[in-house]
Amino acid sequence: MTPRRIAILGAGPIGVETAALLADREDLDIHLYEAASPGAHVRRWDHVQFFSPWEMNRSPWGEARLQASDTPLPDPADYPTGASYRQEYLQPLLNTLRPRITLHEETSALGVSRSAALKGDLLANPHRKEVPFLLHVRGPDGERYDTADVVIDATGVLSNPAGMGPGGLPALGEQALNGELLRGIPDVHGTHRELLASQRILLLGHGHSALTTLDGLLKLREDHGDTQIIWAFRTDQEPRDLIADDPLPERARLDALGNRAARGEFPGVLPLPGSLVKRLEPRGHSVAVTLTRQDGDESLQVDRVIANVGYRPDTSLYRELQVHLCYASDGPMKLAASLLSQSGGDCLAVDAGGPETLQNPEPNFFILGAKSYGRNSNFLLRTGFDQIAQLPSLLG
Ligand SMILES: Cc1cc2nc3c(=O)[nH]c(=O)nc-3n(C[C@H](O)[C@H](O)[C@H](O)COP(=O)(O)OP(=O)(O)OC[C@H]3O[C@@H](n4cnc5c(N)ncnc54)[C@H](O)[C@@H]3O)c2cc1C
């Protein structure tokens, strides 16, 4: 029998772990497509320490493969950085998969459809699943079409940052300034030190990325005491809900630090709760910023802007497929409904749900990993492993 061709989009942690679980199946021909190089999104936060320990960041089947190949595994209780996770786990795991799987590096998936069926064709067409998927990809040799019987979208969200303006729109002038703005968590001890030291910095957002950035900037201030931090965030409440007896100490530390900073307890940090960025304009080497606050607009001038305001899933990849998305989160509907029904403060307490939460109207198309959570930033690798473990029952 000809093996079924399975296309996994994205060689991040979840794409590689998916390939690792399925790699030994003779009935599957596995193709892993990666826009850059494996772990490219994690590379952006190489300098950041995970808040979950190694034991939560490795799948049982990944560990088994590495043990079988005599690759030493770091202490399960230690905490990797993005870089050590890539170098000591993700890359060695990928090495165990070759030549069983085909890795298409520097190859972006641009769109997915069916080779002989349009999105609007016969909504309940029982034969839809027999028509192969058609993948529009761009690799080192240009554009091409590939086919697949099963497609797994594990492309994450980091390529698609949210706008920093009101209502999730870009602030006025944001797009023109794009190259000047820092997104993600700056490396204050390395690449970004010179750029940020002794500057007047506007930090936006109050999620864990923003808190990690704030923590880094406070460390930068220990050596460069004239660095000024203006911290603007949307809520006018304490920005973090503390989790009682949080089993993840690093997360607990960051949450507590955020609330203290919001109360103005750190010299050099000016908290501006209840703020939205309305306009950004270049002024020589600085940026003029208009914030909308409860009492009206407020203008300030800063040297740097760091936007840690979240990401959006790029749903254009499956625009031509019959994918049912949640109108609020942009995540696949069944999983989104399950997440909503158990919404609470602690992502550790979230149940991945059964295999049915991964299904949507398009047969044999699955969204896994960080992207499966849509706009919800609570995704944990451990949840991703639970998702992957459901796949064999869905693939038959
Ligand atoms: C700073 C930070 C810290 C985190 N810390 C933790 C933690 O401590 N514990 C935890 O469990 N989780 C943590 N997470 C959350 C989550 O586990 C990670 O974001 C994880 O990287 C998600 O894995 P993924 O494979 O779903 O997506 P990603 O890591 O985003 O990987 C997606 C891959 O797809 C590729 N890609 C994108 N578009 C395309 C395309 N069109 N075609 C082909 N390839 C494409 C990308 O280049 C990338 O390699 C953290 C996240 C961040 C941002």
Side-chain angles (χ1 to χ4, degrees):
M1 239 173 65
T2 319
R4 275 183 298 166
R5 188 169 161 134
I6 172 162
I8 303 171
L9 313 181
I14 296 306
V16 173
E17 292 278 11
T18 303
L21 183 76
L22 303 175
D24 294 328
R25 284 185 48 165
E26 297 291 335
D27 61 329
L28 298 175
D29 173 20
I30 300 169
H31 291 255
L32 182 55
Y33 294 83
E34 168 52 50
S37 57
H41 281 174
V42 177
R43 185 188 288 270
R44 296 187 192 184
W45 47 279
D46 259 0
H47 53 287
V48 178
Q49 187 182 293
F50 277 65
F51 55 79
S52 54
W54 269 113
E55 62 190 336
M56 285 179 58
N57 308 326
R58 305 190 288 234
S59 69
W61 57 88
E63 283 193 0
R65 294 194 79 90
L66 289 175
Q67 276 156 353
S69 68
D70 288 330
T71 308
L73 287 168
D75 185 335
D78 278 353
Y79 293 79
T81 59
S84 61
Y85 168 81
R86 286 193 305 106
Q87 289 152 11
E88 294 172 46
Y89 182 72
L90 196 69
Q91 190 58 50
L93 179 58
L94 192 57
N95 295 344
T96 70
L97 306 182
R98 287 188 273 199
R100 264 296 297 146
I101 69 152
T102 309
L103 173 66
H104 303 264
E105 283 193 74
E106 304 286 335
T107 303
S108 292
L110 305 175
V112 186
S113 188
R114 296 273 180 183
S115 59
L118 294 176
K119 184 181 178 104
D121 281 352
L122 300 172
L123 279 176
N125 179 354
H127 304 296
R128 193 169 171 89
K129 66 173 181 280
E130 286 148 32
V131 180
F133 285 104
L134 192 64
L135 273 69
H136 179 197
V137 301
R138 182 167 47 230
D141 300 324
E143 287 177 65
R144 65 174 194 272
Y145 291 128
D146 283 358
T147 57
D149 303 299
V150 176
V151 175
I152 292 170
D153 182 356
T155 55
V157 293
L158 249 59
S159 311
N160 207 24
M164 63 175 82
L169 293 173
L172 303 174
E174 175 179 341
Q175 284 160 338
L177 260 176
N178 234 348
E180 308 291 317
L181 307 170
L182 288 172
R183 315 258 185 193
I185 301 168
D187 181 2
V188 296
H189 298 297
T191 334
H192 299 106
R193 192 175 183 82
E194 219 167 289
L195 192 73
L196 297 173
S198 306
Q199 302 294 304
R200 188 171 155 83
I201 300 161
L202 174 65
L203 168 63
L204 300 166
H206 65 267
H208 281 121
S209 292
L211 297 183
T212 308
T213 298
L214 180 64
D215 189 36
L217 293 174
L218 285 169
K219 291 191 178 109
L220 185 66
R221 264 184 59 81
E222 289 168 13
D223 295 336
H224 301 274
D226 54 345
T227 308
Q228 295 173 55
I229 305 153
I230 300 161
W231 182 29
F233 47 90
R234 197 164 36 92
T235 179
D236 54 6
Q237 315 283 318
E238 285 230 305
R240 304 303 308 174
D241 286 331
L242 302 185
I243 295 167
D245 300 321
D246 193 337
L248 298 175
E250 181 56 15
R251 181 174 66 176
R253 185 185 73 79
L254 283 177
D255 284 339
L257 178 131
N259 285 350
R260 287 186 57 203
R263 291 195 291 268
E265 290 183 22
F266 294 104
V269 180
L270 172 68
L272 296 178
S275 301
L276 295 166
V277 182
K278 185 173 172 185
R279 184 180 289 279
L280 297 166
E281 284 171 281
R283 287 278 158 79
H285 293 295
S286 325
V287 182
V289 182
T290 310
L291 295 178
T292 300
R293 307 201 65 212
Q294 230 165 25
D295 308 333
D297 285 357
E298 191 171 318
S299 302
L300 45 122
Q301 192 141 335
V302 296
D303 303 308
R304 307 280 174 250
V305 178
I306 305 174
N308 288 165
V309 292
Y311 297 88
R312 303 286 180 253
D314 177 6
T315 55
S316 66
L317 203 56
Y318 37 79
R319 187 185 291 137
E320 300 304 325
L321 293 179
Q322 297 180 350
V323 179
H324 186 189
L325 295 178
C326 169
Y327 53 80
S329 74
D330 274 342
M333 189 61 213
K334 286 185 181 170
L335 176 60
S338 160
L339 290 175
L340 203 64
S341 68
Q342 27 175 340
S343 60
D346 186 2
C347 46
L348 271 183
V350 171
D351 178 356
E356 65 285 352
T357 56
L358 299 181
Q359 284 176 311
N360 64 71
E362 189 66 60
N364 292 326
F365 179 79
F366 306 100
I367 303 168
L368 301 187
K371 191 168 185 178
S372 71
Y373 268 43
R375 292 162 179 240
N376 177 333
S377 61
N378 273 348
F379 175 78
L380 286 179
L381 289 178
R382 202 176 70 171
T383 316
F385 305 151
D386 290 342
Q387 292 180 335
I388 299 168
Q390 317 275 6
L391 271 180
S393 70
L394 294 164
L395 298 180

